Amino acid sequence: MRRRSVVLAAGLALLLAVPPLAAIAGEPFAVTLASRVLIYALAAASLDFIVGYGGMVSFGHAAFLGLGAYTVGIVASHAFDGTAVPLLPFAWHGTDSALIQWPLAMLISALFALVIGALSLRTAGVYFIMITLAFAQMLYHLFLTLPTYGGQDGLNLWRRSEIPGLDLADDVSFYYLTLALLIISLLILKRLVHSRFGMVLRAGKQNEPRLQALGIPTVRYKLLAFVIAGAFGGLAGALTVNHTEFVGPGLLHWTRSGELLVIVILGGLGSLYGSVVGAAVLLILEEVIAGWTEHWMIVLGPFLVLVVLFARRGLYGWLAGREAEGD
Amino acid sequence: MTDAILEVQGLSKFFGAVAASDSLTFQVERGCCHALIGPNGAGKSTAIAQITGEVRPDGGSIRFNGREISRWPVHRRARAGLNRSYQITSIFPAFSALDTVALAVLARQPHAFRFWRDARRDERLRRSARSFLDRVGLGDRADVRAGDLAHGEQRQLEVAMVLATNPQLVLLDEPMAGMGRAETQQMLDILRPLKGSLSLLLVEHDMDVVFALADVVTVLVKGRVIASGTPSSIRADADVRRAYLGDGA
């Protein structure tokens, strides 16, 4: 376990050191970029949970990111205007409290994941990819044409969520909170992967007909995994709207889902930690290369091909060596 | 009335104009080994797949322990005690041999919705899985990746998985496929003691194996039963010799 432990410890130390290093270097923007990396890592890790362990290649994961972000955005906008949230049986004027907003974001994303998953899991393979993509695009167009909540202009978040004892308007506090949530989420997902539930999930990826022949109703397990992934995607959405103080339909666009898949593949399928590496490399490369040329995809594309060809278990697998397989 | 664990009645399955099962009727007595034999394309594997639920029949009935099961999904039949091994090895290549069998052990429990405890440190699960590995002679290969086992060992692993689900009736689809003499003998030693405590439906091409294991032999040709009886009567049957056993038998 040594090499893997060293890699994980070094990664954690590096993430903890970002704000002080940025302060020393006089580059406060680095903290903002690093927060973005962590949020994308969380979204990608939740996607990796179903793709890497469950074999469900979802091309619509941005939907859950967007739903989580819109949930927080909408609830906060009603709190700001003092108006009631529509479609509720009781009058509720929204809230700024993260302790309500964020679990609500997870719940809404999970509910949509339940419906989307229940319908999509009747299919497999390329059909599953297409149908999850279709659902995500439906939601994208829904928010695009919903004038109440900004339509194509999106929604501004006038006040970041509030947590007692923390000032989330401070970028460093926000960064550390995001880091803590990412670590907790990774540990929870990791536990799930190695539990009996996770064992069934991983077996289903390898040989689903055989699992059914053993007497296991595989669809229920896959659906539950899909819902869990949706919930964590929703949490990433709640963080993202706080980070950018804005949510627009672009967050649900299929290119965003594609980006998440790229992060997962880049970092290493079925590793969870790989999502952090993948998000860091993709977003930092994007930032750096975009400074030279707007055609940054020209550089990124071949890089991705090289990773897929030569580091078949992704960048994390390449860093952590064979021991990463136990993840 | 005889004590049949499985009754197949008038089972039909057509792929276009080709009959895989044509009014197929037979029954498996409890505690017996019943062999299905026949030339390639006789519909043996399709019959097995209909009994387990992987292929939906066009008509006919399948009764297991007296209950009509032909509309049940695969996992429900497995849970009821009807399980199978595959002609082409079907395992979980990335799992260790022990994890593979552990998976089968947890398949027979009401559900595996346990989210927190590490399944690799679940002693009850592992002890139970290990006992099944011991039974098929893979006790010392527990930690090897299933995909890295030798072909014969993978076949043994298949049997361990099936046994771990606590079945009443096991459908063995060519358990000796691709095996050498010694491996075949070893598999025979594993399968023979199972008779009695559970029932077997065996599809096998190796006639020595069939005659060594089976109590009843049913001969299929083009989805139809052309003969059924004790091994010795089948061996003597002129139609069977002509249709199937051919010169060498």
Side-chain angles (χ1 to χ4, degrees):
Chain A
M1 300 295 277
R2 290 198 53 195
R3 182 167 161 192
R4 176 177 165 275
S5 308
V6 168
V7 168
L8 290 179
L12 181 61
L14 188 65
L15 290 175
L16 285 171
V18 166
L21 288 179
I24 294 167
E27 296 268 5
F29 174 72
V31 177
T32 306
L33 176 62
S35 295
R36 205 164 108 86
V37 167
L38 298 183
I39 294 167
Y40 269 77
L42 175 56
S46 67
L47 178 60
D48 188 24
F49 181 65
I50 50 173
V51 179
Y53 297 98
M56 293 171 266
V57 183
S58 166
F59 208 148
H61 207 61
F64 307 119
L65 194 71
L67 283 165
Y70 265 105
T71 301
V72 172
I74 288 170
V75 166
S77 79
H78 285 286
F80 188 76
D81 299 342
T83 51
V85 180
L87 304 176
L88 287 181
F90 50 90
W92 184 49
H93 293 81
T95 176
D96 284 326
S97 168
L99 299 180
I100 298 173
Q101 284 181 346
W102 298 5
L104 191 64
M106 293 179 80
L107 182 70
I108 298 284
S109 290
L111 284 176
F112 273 87
L114 183 66
V115 176
I116 294 175
L119 295 167
S120 307
L121 284 171
R122 292 162 173 270
T123 65
V126 76
Y127 300 101
F128 183 79
I129 296 176
M130 296 314 289
I131 198 165
T132 48
L133 172 65
F135 276 117
Q137 283 301 91
M138 272 162 56
L139 287 168
Y140 164 73
H141 283 284
L142 174 73
F143 283 109
L144 195 66
T145 53
L146 200 67
T148 330
Y149 298 115
Q152 59 179 347
D153 297 330
L155 262 183
N156 283 313
L157 186 75
W158 300 109
R159 287 192 295 254
R160 280 190 177 178
S161 303
E162 287 167 0
I163 292 181
L166 270 180
D167 179 16
L168 293 192
D170 171 44
D171 284 336
V172 173
S173 304
F174 183 76
Y175 174 82
Y176 280 119
L177 178 69
T178 306
L179 180 59
L181 285 175
L182 172 66
I183 292 171
I184 292 168
S185 304
L186 286 175
L187 292 179
I188 290 174
L189 291 173
K190 200 103 253 187
R191 276 309 284 233
L192 290 176
V193 162
H194 290 298
S195 70
R196 289 187 178 205
F197 169 77
M199 198 166 164
V200 171
L201 188 65
R202 284 178 288 138
K205 184 190 178 193
Q206 298 172 56
N207 193 345
E208 190 173 349
R210 188 70 179 99
L211 202 55
Q212 286 177 344
L214 286 176
I216 294 180
T218 51
V219 174
R220 285 176 220 171
Y221 290 83
K222 289 168 76 173
L223 180 57
L224 187 57
F226 196 80
V227 169
I228 292 169
F232 281 100
L235 179 61
L239 289 169
T240 225
V241 63
N242 273 285
H243 182 243
T244 54
E245 296 172 7
F246 170 79
V247 52
L251 200 57
L252 291 90
H253 196 248
W254 69 269
T255 51
R256 192 76 52 171
S257 298
E259 226 167 32
L260 291 176
L261 274 174
V262 167
I263 290 174
V264 170
I265 294 164
L266 201 60
L269 270 175
S271 67
L272 291 179
Y273 301 131
S275 298
V276 185
V277 185
V281 170
L282 185 80
L283 297 183
I284 292 170
L285 268 184
E286 181 183 332
E287 195 68 38
V288 171
I289 303 169
W292 304 330
T293 164
E294 60 183 296
H295 306 292
W296 59 277
M297 267 297 180
I298 290 179
V299 181
L300 198 70
F303 178 69
L304 190 64
V305 171
L306 289 178
V307 169
V308 170
L309 283 179
F310 295 108
R312 299 212 30 213
R313 283 174 295 117
L315 293 173
Y316 173 71
W318 175 67
L319 286 170
R322 283 202 67 81
E323 297 146 15
E325 285 193 11
D327 288 333
Chain B
M1 197 52 210
T2 54
D3 182 20
I5 188 165
L6 181 77
E7 298 159 88
V8 174
Q9 191 79 48
L11 200 64
S12 304
K13 179 72 194 177
F14 291 87
F15 295 111
V18 181
S21 301
D22 189 357
S23 309
L24 185 62
T25 299
F26 66 92
Q27 50 180 282
V28 179
E29 303 298 320
R30 194 177 302 278
C32 283
C33 176
H34 190 125
L36 279 184
I37 65 171
N40 283 329
K44 306 180 295 288
S45 290
T46 309
I48 296 275
Q50 290 174 88
I51 295 167
T52 59
E54 289 149 304
V55 171
R56 199 164 271 271
D58 296 332
S61 85
I62 303 166
R63 298 174 75 82
F64 178 63
N65 279 327
R67 287 203 283 176
E68 176 62 45
I69 60 164
S70 55
R71 298 263 152 223
W72 290 12
V74 175
H75 60 83
R76 187 164 170 209
R77 299 185 204 201
R79 252 164 214 252
L82 195 160
N83 227 309
R84 71 168 295 178
S85 74
Y86 286 80
Q87 176 182 357
I88 295 161
T89 306
S90 178
I91 51 172
F92 305 95
F95 279 8
S96 71
L98 189 65
D99 281 347
T100 306
V101 181
L103 198 60
V105 172
L106 62 93
R108 73 178 181 211
Q109 294 171 354
H111 58 76
F113 289 116
R114 292 203 195 166
F115 303 99
W116 207 242
R117 210 157 135 214
D118 193 328
R120 292 170 302 185
R121 297 200 194 100
D122 192 332
E123 265 317 307
R124 278 228 325 268
L125 190 61
R126 297 181 76 77
R127 208 175 315 124
S128 175
R130 201 172 280 278
S131 73
F132 288 105
L133 281 182
D134 287 336
R135 260 174 88 175
V136 300
L138 285 176
D140 54 342
R141 306 285 278 161
D143 296 323
V144 181
R145 274 186 66 215
D148 293 338
L149 290 171
H151 175 75
E153 292 175 324
Q154 290 182 345
R155 307 295 303 178
Q156 286 163 260
L157 184 61
E158 280 249 5
V159 175
M161 278 166 83
V162 173
L163 293 180
T165 61
N166 197 21
Q168 296 174 43
L169 172 65
V170 177
L171 313 179
L172 298 162
D173 195 357
E174 299 200 28
M176 316 294 183
M179 282 190 168
R181 271 279 126 216
E183 290 171 326
T184 300
Q185 196 53 49
Q186 194 181 3
M187 186 61 91
L188 266 178
D189 293 337
I190 294 168
L191 295 180
R192 204 180 280 115
L194 300 179
K195 280 204 300 181
S197 61
L198 45 86
S199 318
L200 303 174
L201 179 60
L202 171 75
V203 168
E204 182 55 60
H205 274 298
D206 185 335
M207 285 307 126
D208 293 337
V209 171
V210 169
F211 292 128
L213 272 179
D215 303 301
V216 182
V217 177
T218 292
V219 186
L220 293 188
V221 173
K222 291 181 180 160
R224 270 173 189 285
V225 176
I226 63 159
S228 190
T230 62
S232 50
S233 71
I234 291 298
R235 212 194 284 261
D237 191 301
D239 285 343
V240 176
R241 297 184 76 96
R242 221 178 3 262
Y244 177 47
L245 294 179
D247 309 322

